[in-house]
Amino acid sequence: MECRGSELRDKEIINITDGSRIGYVGDVIMDLEEGRVSALVVPGRLRLFGLLGREPDTVFPWGAVRRFGADTILVEGTQVRQRERRERV
């Protein structure tokens, strides 16, 4: 199955450890020297309609990805880490 980077944004991430729906892919972290994807990032949820900012982003290392489907990506949640959002200039 082929998939473009822009098509990843339409895929929902589901944790196979507990069956929870994490969210949709918001960003991809790439290793440009080796030319491969190193992690998938799900943006944090809005707090109070965005007035209080967002929760930290959830980052799934590529090793946590177990299976790609047409609409979903299955990941194992034991390797998840949180990342604070960086402000864009």
Side-chain angles (χ1 to χ4, degrees):
M1 178 172 127
E2 290 184 14
C3 182
R4 295 179 185 260
S6 61
E7 294 172 358
L8 286 176
R9 295 187 69 110
D10 297 333
K11 295 189 184 290
E12 183 176 22
I13 294 183
I14 297 178
N15 186 346
I16 61 173
T17 305
D18 59 3
S20 63
R21 297 170 65 186
I22 307 297
Y24 291 88
V25 176
D27 200 3
V28 177
I29 299 174
M30 297 194 64
D31 182 1
L32 296 178
E33 292 179 4
E34 295 186 21
R36 58 186 175 143
V37 176
S38 60
L40 301 175
V41 180
V42 177
R45 295 183 180 146
L46 295 174
R47 291 189 286 176
L48 192 63
F49 305 109
L51 296 174
L52 299 177
R54 287 185 173 264
E55 294 177 357
D57 294 342
T58 306
V59 179
F60 294 94
W62 192 250
V65 175
R66 295 295 174 242
R67 174 105 36 196
F68 276 92
D71 299 330
T72 59
I73 300 172
L74 300 178
V75 296
E76 189 169 353
T78 58
Q79 301 177 12
V80 177
R81 62 186 170 137
Q82 300 292 316
R83 178 180 83 165
E84 291 296 325
R85 297 184 62 84
R86 289 184 274 173
E87 297 298 322
R88 295 186 181 184
V89 181

